[in-house]
Each structure stands twice: as structure tokens, then as C-alpha cells.
Amino acid sequence: MPDAATLNALRAAVEAGFEEELRFLADIVRFQSLRGKEAPLQDHLARWLAGRGYAVDRFSLAEVALDSHPKAAPMEGADPAQSIQVVASRRCGEPSGRSLILQGHIDVVPEGPAAMWTLAPWSATVKDGFLYGRGAADMKAGVAAMIFAMEAIRACNWCPAGDVHLMTVTEEESTGNGALATLLRGYRADAVLIPEPTGHTLTRAHTGTVWFRLRVQGIPVHVAVAQSGSNAIMSAYRLIAGLERHVATLNQEARSHRWYGEVADPIKFNPGIIRGGDWASSTPAWCEVDCRIGLLPGTTPAEAMEGVRRAVAEAVRGDRFLEANPPEVTFHGFQADGFVLEPGSEAEAVLADAHRAVHGEEMAARLSTAVNDTRYYGADFGMPALCYGPSGEGIHGFDERADIESLRATTLAIACFVADWCGVRPLS
Ligand code: ZN
């Protein structure tokens, strides 16, 4: 538990820096850091952090041997050489305390039709206690919180007694390769904190994710003689219905899962993009559907992929054209494991203390039905990996917004966590 003097000093420092923190957040929300277009924001962050005295390592995914790692996911639609990662390290002399990685992703999902937003999606407008914009909550507010937590410690004229690596990564929304790249680059620490928008709860477990693409053929004929052709869009419907049945079975089985047994339908399936056909009066010759399916901790991505292949093969049965022309299933993004943060780690206890100091109540835990980057650190590299961050609304939807008071509280909670986990010493 941070002592009262430490807590008060950090609270005052967060308070004094909060206006700047909000400006910083608005600035980074205005960068349209969609997949493949993150470099300008990463350059901005690298400059900003270097200006604050961090040792900055900026590198692209092409500079890391991702292919050599079994957990790297296929990357389609983004150029590894343009996918920039930033690691800003603060090392204060000989480390005597525990080290820490603070990591946030700065890639954001597409904003969708701008007309459906009340406020323009890249305007970073502040209104009624929220800062609006695509990525404001997921997770640029978390990025601001972790950076300004470190600023608060510095404003107190302290330095963490262990090495701290602030990381901003890409590809969190599509493969996870950004986080993996920082590990392959060699960064390690005694704990990791990722301030995703968890509403001040600790993510006890998250599900895995697999992306796949269905490609279906058809026979194009004039719709006047549709019976002699084959409609690829209707065939895709058939496959989607088959996959829904598959997911229903998986969710039935999930009822006996150690962590997700009490969560209703934890495995989410989403046909997210559909393309197909060439003309309204011709039966479509082709259709493609990009899909996402979840998997529970304990199931491997390979098993989930096999399940998808089986479900598609099953759905084809009884359709003479599809039996003769089987749909293609390819895997082009996430092949992510689920992850459970086993209770009882020292890192979790220190975070719970920080949370209690700021909020005056116990930190709650949650089970997430989406993936996040903690899996690599926690499952593949053996570090305690905490996911805990501020509140937000409209994530992946319209009118996404970060809660400003929650940002303030989370900045302080992270500052307390750093001070306690690493220890602090006077700045020399
Ligand atoms: Zn996120």
C-alpha cells in the first residue's frame, strides 16, 4: 500500500499535470491511427517521449524475426515495415527495485460511417465529462494514463528504482504481432500492466481469437434461369448458419469451463465483412466473408481452426454444387490464445493496493470475451501480466468516448502501482 505521503504527493502531481494530460490525449486521438497508418502517431510519441528524457527504441515489425516465433500471426493487409513499435525506457542508475512494462496499443478500428457519430470521430471533442473519438477509450486514454503516471512520479522528483519500459504497439486489433515484437526485441520485466479500458477492474481471463475468411464460388447465370446457376452469396449464408450452430455447441460445452462456466455464451462469432457478386441480375460467382471466432483458455487456436474447418465441411453436406466445389477457408489474422491470470501474484496484490488507495474499495475482477495482449507476456514469457485501466463507452462502435474522471483516477492508480512495485528514489 502506498503510504499517505506518497499517495498525496502523487495525487497532487496528477492533478497539476491533468490539463496537459487531457491535451496530450486529444492530440493522439486526432491521429487516425488505423491499421497500417500508425507510423505518424508512433513518430509523435517517440519524439514526445525522447523529449521527456526517455531512451527511445523505435523499430518496425520487419526488423524483428516474427516468422521464427510459433505465436506470430499471419499479417494480411498491413506492411510489417510500416508497422512501427515504440519502447521508451527509463533507467535510473543501478536498478534496486522491480522492473515493469507499461504497454498500450495505439492502433484503432475503423470509425464506420461518420454520419452515425454525434461528434466527428477524429475531433477529440470534450463534452459532458467525456473525450470523444475513435480510439479515445480503446485505448488511447490508457496510453495517456500510463505515460502521465510516470510524469507524476517525475514531477515528485522521484525516479522508479527499477527499469520501466513504456511501450506503444500496433496490431493489437488484428494479430497481436506488435506486442510479440517487443518481446522478440528482448524486452522483459518483472511485471506487465496494460491499461485497456476495463473500468477499473482487473481482467482475470480473456478469450482467444481466430480470424478466418470463407471464399465461396457460384455459377453466374441470368437470374431468369437462376435454377441452373449457383448463388455464392446464398451459399455463404448457408456456411454462416452452419458456423452459428457450431458456436452454439461450443457455448453449450463452455458451461463446464473453470472460468467461463458462469458467463452466458462466452464464445462470440462474428461475420464482420462480406463481399461478393458483380450484378444484381446475375447469380453471384463469388462471395468472401471475413469472420472472427472466440476460443476459451484451454483450447488452442489450432483446435479452434480445426473446428471451423469441420463446421464448414458439415454445412456443405447435402448441397451438390458446394460438395463438388468446396469453399476455401483461410486464416489471415489473429491466432490468439486465451489467457488466465492465476490469482495470487505479488503484482496483482500491489495493483489491488493501489486501486484501494485511490478508490477506497476492493478491486473487482472481470472475465473478458475479447482478446488483449497480456497473453504473450503472461502465457508465453512467464511474466505476471495485468490488464487494468479506465472506463469508456462506445468501443468499436459509434460515439466512442473516454471518461475523464476515470482517466484521472487511473493515472493516479498506475502512479501508485509503479511507486510501490518498482519503489522510488530521489531524482539525482
Ligand atoms: Zn484495446
Side-chain angles (χ1 to χ4, degrees):
M1 189 87 158
D3 59 55
T6 305
L7 177 63
N8 288 336
L10 288 173
R11 192 190 300 279
V14 167
E15 204 55 51
F18 196 65
E19 221 169 281
E20 188 192 3
E21 180 174 352
L22 267 186
R23 269 202 311 276
F24 173 92
L25 174 57
D27 284 346
I28 65 175
V29 168
R30 289 191 191 104
F31 282 88
Q32 302 184 19
S33 50
L34 296 157
R35 189 180 189 207
K37 297 176 182 158
E38 305 95 339
L41 174 53
Q42 291 290 55
D43 294 346
H44 168 79
L45 288 165
R47 271 194 309 273
W48 196 96
L49 291 159
R52 302 285 163 135
Y54 286 90
V56 174
D57 179 16
R58 185 177 52 165
F59 57 97
S60 82
L61 294 184
E63 294 169 63
V64 176
L66 275 173
D67 291 345
S68 70
H69 198 274
K71 293 294 166 70
M75 237 175 110
E76 193 205 90
D79 176 4
Q82 299 301 321
S83 198
I84 305 298
Q85 316 305 311
V86 173
V87 179
S89 300
R90 178 147 289 165
R91 303 178 180 94
C92 295
E94 276 305 297
S96 55
R98 291 177 287 211
S99 58
L100 178 65
I101 288 170
L102 295 168
Q103 192 257 50
H105 70 86
I106 53 85
D107 53 320
V108 302
V109 302
E111 72 278 23
M116 295 181 76
W117 288 71
T118 314
L119 299 160
W122 307 105
S123 64
T125 309
V126 172
K127 195 181 165 216
D128 301 332
F130 290 94
L131 191 147
Y132 282 74
R134 168 58 80 233
D138 184 13
M139 59 167 288
K140 289 173 176 175
V143 167
M146 70 187 198
I147 290 175
F148 279 80
M150 290 292 288
E151 288 299 295
I153 289 172
R154 194 185 173 83
C156 292
N157 282 315
W158 296 331
C159 192
D163 297 341
V164 177
H165 306 291
L166 282 173
M167 303 182 170
T168 53
V169 303
T170 65
E171 288 289 307
E172 193 274 346
E173 301 283 7
S174 46
T175 60
N177 287 350
L180 180 58
T182 64
L183 287 152
L184 298 182
R185 188 84 165 171
Y187 292 100
R188 303 285 185 277
D190 296 320
V192 181
L193 173 67
I194 301 183
E196 288 271 10
T198 67
H200 318 131
T201 64
L202 177 73
T203 303
R204 173 63 64 211
H206 71 68
T207 53
T209 294
V210 165
W211 274 11
F212 60 96
R213 177 169 299 147
L214 305 170
R215 273 203 192 87
V216 199
Q217 295 175 48
I219 301 174
V221 295
H222 193 293
V223 71
V225 289
Q227 70 281 2
S228 65
S230 180
N231 185 317
I233 292 177
M234 295 312 290
S235 295
Y237 263 75
R238 184 187 181 104
L239 303 187
I240 289 170
L243 284 159
E244 283 184 318
R245 287 192 297 275
H246 169 59
V247 171
T249 306
L250 293 175
N251 276 321
Q252 198 72 30
E253 292 164 9
R255 291 185 186 171
S256 59
H257 192 270
R258 179 181 164 212
W259 290 102
Y260 283 88
E262 300 297 311
V263 178
D265 299 332
I267 298 180
K268 308 296 183 191
F269 163 64
N270 187 52
I273 305 176
I274 187 161
R275 296 172 285 267
D278 300 298
W279 192 248
S281 295
S282 307
T283 52
W286 65 284
C287 183
E288 289 182 353
V289 191
D290 286 10
C291 302
R292 174 269 196 212
I293 191 168
L295 52 126
L296 296 185
T299 301
T300 65
E303 287 165 342
M305 289 154 74
E306 193 42 45
V308 167
R309 284 194 202 94
R310 263 201 324 272
V312 168
E314 196 120 319
V316 159
R317 227 170 278 157
D319 182 305
R320 276 176 53 199
F321 174 79
L322 288 179
E323 281 180 345
N325 303 276
E328 211 184 295
V329 183
T330 54
F331 297 90
H332 64 288
F334 278 124
Q335 294 179 9
D337 293 283
F339 172 63
V340 177
L341 174 73
E342 292 296 337
S345 71
E346 177 73 9
E348 179 179 334
V350 172
L351 181 63
D353 280 349
H355 174 89
R356 198 180 305 109
V358 173
H359 293 275
E361 54 185 42
E362 295 303 310
M363 177 175 70
R366 71 203 270 270
L367 300 165
S368 169
T369 49
V371 73
N372 69 55
D373 277 339
T374 48
R375 65 190 185 279
Y376 292 116
Y377 304 92
D380 300 316
F381 288 81
M383 307 173 205
L386 310 166
C387 182
Y388 168 96
S391 306
E393 291 172 34
I395 289 160
H396 290 221
F398 298 111
D399 291 339
E400 180 177 351
R401 53 205 178 273
D403 182 316
I404 290 173
E405 282 317 303
S406 165
L407 173 64
R408 193 193 309 262
T410 303
T411 306
L412 179 57
I414 296 176
C416 290
F417 174 70
V418 175
D420 233 16
W421 178 255
C422 305
V424 287
R425 55 166 83 124
L427 259 183
S428 46

